[in-house]
mmCIF file of all heavy atoms in Angstrom:
data_model
loop_
_atom_site.group_PDB
_atom_site.id
_atom_site.type_symbol
_atom_site.label_atom_id
_atom_site.label_comp_id
_atom_site.label_asym_id
_atom_site.label_seq_id
_atom_site.Cartn_x
_atom_site.Cartn_y
_atom_site.Cartn_z
ATOM 1 N N LEU V 54 62.050 70.101 58.029
ATOM 2 C CA LEU V 54 61.432 69.610 59.246
ATOM 3 C C LEU V 54 60.565 70.655 59.899
ATOM 4 O O LEU V 54 59.513 70.358 60.459
ATOM 5 C CB LEU V 54 62.516 69.132 60.218
ATOM 6 C CG LEU V 54 63.160 67.778 59.856
ATOM 7 C CD1 LEU V 54 64.413 67.548 60.683
ATOM 8 C CD2 LEU V 54 62.189 66.643 60.056
ATOM 9 N N LEU V 55 60.991 71.922 59.825
ATOM 10 C CA LEU V 55 60.158 72.997 60.379
ATOM 11 C C LEU V 55 58.799 73.020 59.706
ATOM 12 O O LEU V 55 57.760 73.160 60.342
ATOM 13 C CB LEU V 55 60.846 74.356 60.176
ATOM 14 C CG LEU V 55 61.863 74.784 61.226
ATOM 15 C CD1 LEU V 55 62.517 76.090 60.794
ATOM 16 C CD2 LEU V 55 61.226 74.924 62.574
ATOM 17 N N VAL V 56 58.800 72.888 58.400
ATOM 18 C CA VAL V 56 57.540 72.920 57.662
ATOM 19 C C VAL V 56 56.709 71.693 57.969
ATOM 20 O O VAL V 56 55.514 71.758 58.243
ATOM 21 C CB VAL V 56 57.820 73.023 56.151
ATOM 22 C CG1 VAL V 56 56.520 72.961 55.363
ATOM 23 C CG2 VAL V 56 58.548 74.327 55.842
ATOM 24 N N LEU V 57 57.383 70.521 57.952
ATOM 25 C CA LEU V 57 56.658 69.280 58.138
ATOM 26 C C LEU V 57 56.053 69.149 59.514
ATOM 27 O O LEU V 57 54.978 68.607 59.692
ATOM 28 C CB LEU V 57 57.604 68.109 57.869
ATOM 29 C CG LEU V 57 56.984 66.705 57.769
ATOM 30 C CD1 LEU V 57 55.964 66.687 56.641
ATOM 31 C CD2 LEU V 57 58.055 65.671 57.510
ATOM 32 N N MET V 58 56.737 69.692 60.546
ATOM 33 C CA MET V 58 56.277 69.487 61.924
ATOM 34 C C MET V 58 54.956 70.163 62.205
ATOM 35 O O MET V 58 54.271 69.828 63.149
ATOM 36 C CB MET V 58 57.326 69.993 62.903
ATOM 37 C CG MET V 58 57.425 71.494 62.933
ATOM 38 S SD MET V 58 58.787 72.058 63.939
ATOM 39 C CE MET V 58 58.593 73.825 63.705
ATOM 40 N N HIS V 59 54.549 71.120 61.394
ATOM 41 C CA HIS V 59 53.312 71.843 61.666
ATOM 42 C C HIS V 59 52.089 71.136 61.102
ATOM 43 O O HIS V 59 51.080 71.774 60.825
ATOM 44 C CB HIS V 59 53.392 73.247 61.083
ATOM 45 C CG HIS V 59 54.291 74.147 61.867
ATOM 46 N ND1 HIS V 59 54.058 74.481 63.169
ATOM 47 C CD2 HIS V 59 55.438 74.766 61.527
ATOM 48 C CE1 HIS V 59 54.995 75.283 63.607
ATOM 49 N NE2 HIS V 59 55.850 75.467 62.626
ATOM 50 N N GLY V 60 52.168 69.863 60.882
ATOM 51 C CA GLY V 60 50.991 69.113 60.475
ATOM 52 C C GLY V 60 50.617 69.324 59.035
ATOM 53 O O GLY V 60 49.546 68.939 58.600
ATOM 54 N N GLY V 61 51.461 69.941 58.260
ATOM 55 C CA GLY V 61 51.216 70.064 56.838
ATOM 56 C C GLY V 61 50.296 71.176 56.443
ATOM 57 O O GLY V 61 50.022 71.368 55.264
ATOM 58 N N GLN V 62 49.794 71.931 57.378
ATOM 59 C CA GLN V 62 48.865 72.965 57.000
ATOM 60 C C GLN V 62 49.521 74.101 56.249
ATOM 61 O O GLN V 62 48.853 74.910 55.654
ATOM 62 C CB GLN V 62 48.169 73.538 58.237
ATOM 63 C CG GLN V 62 47.251 72.534 58.917
ATOM 64 C CD GLN V 62 46.422 73.182 59.982
ATOM 65 O OE1 GLN V 62 46.435 74.395 60.149
ATOM 66 N NE2 GLN V 62 45.670 72.386 60.710
ATOM 67 N N HIS V 63 50.847 74.110 56.269
ATOM 68 C CA HIS V 63 51.529 75.230 55.651
ATOM 69 C C HIS V 63 52.323 74.821 54.433
ATOM 70 O O HIS V 63 53.148 75.559 53.944
ATOM 71 C CB HIS V 63 52.436 75.909 56.672
ATOM 72 C CG HIS V 63 51.802 75.908 58.009
ATOM 73 N ND1 HIS V 63 50.547 76.437 58.221
ATOM 74 C CD2 HIS V 63 52.181 75.356 59.173
ATOM 75 C CE1 HIS V 63 50.206 76.249 59.471
ATOM 76 N NE2 HIS V 63 51.173 75.594 60.061
ATOM 77 N N VAL V 64 52.101 73.607 53.972
ATOM 78 C CA VAL V 64 52.756 73.161 52.762
ATOM 79 C C VAL V 64 51.883 73.583 51.591
ATOM 80 O O VAL V 64 50.731 73.199 51.487
ATOM 81 C CB VAL V 64 52.924 71.630 52.766
ATOM 82 C CG1 VAL V 64 53.594 71.171 51.491
ATOM 83 C CG2 VAL V 64 53.732 71.193 53.982
ATOM 84 N N VAL V 65 52.415 74.383 50.713
ATOM 85 C CA VAL V 65 51.632 74.905 49.602
ATOM 86 C C VAL V 65 52.280 74.457 48.312
ATOM 87 O O VAL V 65 53.434 74.772 48.047
ATOM 88 C CB VAL V 65 51.549 76.434 49.658
ATOM 89 C CG1 VAL V 65 50.744 76.951 48.482
ATOM 90 C CG2 VAL V 65 50.916 76.861 50.972
ATOM 91 N N CYS V 66 51.559 73.687 47.508
ATOM 92 C CA CYS V 66 52.120 73.173 46.276
ATOM 93 C C CYS V 66 51.779 74.065 45.092
ATOM 94 O O CYS V 66 50.711 74.681 45.048
ATOM 95 C CB CYS V 66 51.588 71.764 46.003
ATOM 96 S SG CYS V 66 52.173 70.545 47.190
ATOM 97 N N LYS V 67 52.695 74.120 44.148
ATOM 98 C CA LYS V 67 52.461 74.775 42.868
ATOM 99 C C LYS V 67 52.074 76.237 43.008
ATOM 100 O O LYS V 67 51.201 76.738 42.314
ATOM 101 C CB LYS V 67 51.384 74.032 42.072
ATOM 102 C CG LYS V 67 51.777 72.593 41.733
ATOM 103 C CD LYS V 67 50.697 71.912 40.921
ATOM 104 C CE LYS V 67 51.092 70.488 40.588
ATOM 105 N NZ LYS V 67 50.039 69.779 39.835
ATOM 106 N N LEU V 68 52.688 76.951 43.907
ATOM 107 C CA LEU V 68 52.439 78.381 44.010
ATOM 108 C C LEU V 68 53.337 79.098 43.027
ATOM 109 O O LEU V 68 54.506 78.766 42.894
ATOM 110 C CB LEU V 68 52.749 78.865 45.427
ATOM 111 C CG LEU V 68 52.062 80.143 45.878
ATOM 112 C CD1 LEU V 68 50.563 79.938 45.918
ATOM 113 C CD2 LEU V 68 52.557 80.566 47.233
ATOM 114 N N PRO V 69 52.836 80.063 42.280
ATOM 115 C CA PRO V 69 53.675 80.734 41.288
ATOM 116 C C PRO V 69 54.809 81.495 41.934
ATOM 117 O O PRO V 69 54.725 81.926 43.079
ATOM 118 C CB PRO V 69 52.688 81.697 40.600
ATOM 119 C CG PRO V 69 51.607 81.905 41.592
ATOM 120 C CD PRO V 69 51.472 80.612 42.328
ATOM 121 N N VAL V 70 55.876 81.702 41.167
ATOM 122 C CA VAL V 70 57.069 82.360 41.693
ATOM 123 C C VAL V 70 56.744 83.747 42.213
ATOM 124 O O VAL V 70 57.274 84.204 43.212
ATOM 125 C CB VAL V 70 58.146 82.446 40.591
ATOM 126 C CG1 VAL V 70 59.335 83.274 41.066
ATOM 127 C CG2 VAL V 70 58.588 81.052 40.191
ATOM 128 N N GLU V 71 55.812 84.425 41.531
ATOM 129 C CA GLU V 71 55.543 85.815 41.896
ATOM 130 C C GLU V 71 54.996 85.975 43.302
ATOM 131 O O GLU V 71 55.116 87.029 43.897
ATOM 132 C CB GLU V 71 54.530 86.438 40.899
ATOM 133 C CG GLU V 71 55.035 86.482 39.475
ATOM 134 C CD GLU V 71 54.610 85.240 38.710
ATOM 135 O OE1 GLU V 71 54.363 84.199 39.349
ATOM 136 O OE2 GLU V 71 54.531 85.308 37.489
ATOM 137 N N VAL V 72 54.330 84.939 43.810
ATOM 138 C CA VAL V 72 53.685 85.092 45.117
ATOM 139 C C VAL V 72 54.144 84.038 46.105
ATOM 140 O O VAL V 72 53.482 83.789 47.097
ATOM 141 C CB VAL V 72 52.143 85.037 44.992
ATOM 142 C CG1 VAL V 72 51.634 86.206 44.195
ATOM 143 C CG2 VAL V 72 51.700 83.722 44.370
ATOM 144 N N LYS V 73 55.292 83.377 45.860
ATOM 145 C CA LYS V 73 55.791 82.387 46.819
ATOM 146 C C LYS V 73 56.173 83.065 48.129
ATOM 147 O O LYS V 73 56.754 84.135 48.133
ATOM 148 C CB LYS V 73 56.998 81.655 46.249
ATOM 149 C CG LYS V 73 56.619 80.524 45.285
ATOM 150 C CD LYS V 73 57.843 79.744 44.868
ATOM 151 C CE LYS V 73 57.461 78.587 43.976
ATOM 152 N NZ LYS V 73 58.642 77.827 43.557
ATOM 153 N N ALA V 74 55.853 82.399 49.254
ATOM 154 C CA ALA V 74 56.192 82.972 50.558
ATOM 155 C C ALA V 74 57.665 82.771 50.854
ATOM 156 O O ALA V 74 58.230 81.741 50.513
ATOM 157 C CB ALA V 74 55.344 82.323 51.654
ATOM 158 N N ASP V 75 58.252 83.766 51.497
ATOM 159 C CA ASP V 75 59.649 83.633 51.887
ATOM 160 C C ASP V 75 59.707 82.986 53.254
ATOM 161 O O ASP V 75 59.734 83.649 54.280
ATOM 162 C CB ASP V 75 60.301 85.023 51.934
ATOM 163 C CG ASP V 75 61.771 84.923 52.304
ATOM 164 O OD1 ASP V 75 62.338 83.833 52.222
ATOM 165 O OD2 ASP V 75 62.344 85.962 52.672
ATOM 166 N N ILE V 76 59.677 81.641 53.265
ATOM 167 C CA ILE V 76 59.622 80.918 54.528
ATOM 168 C C ILE V 76 60.921 80.173 54.809
ATOM 169 O O ILE V 76 60.950 79.213 55.571
ATOM 170 C CB ILE V 76 58.440 79.931 54.562
ATOM 171 C CG1 ILE V 76 58.549 78.949 53.387
ATOM 172 C CG2 ILE V 76 57.130 80.647 54.522
ATOM 173 C CD1 ILE V 76 57.485 77.878 53.413
#
Side-chain angles (χ1 to χ4, degrees):
L54 285 167
L55 275 175
V56 176
L57 190 59
M58 72 187 179
H59 286 298
Q62 293 189 6
H63 323 305
V64 179
V65 179
C66 292
K67 298 181 180 178
L68 203 64
V70 173
E71 298 92 335
V72 295
K73 279 186 177 180
D75 181 16
I76 57 175

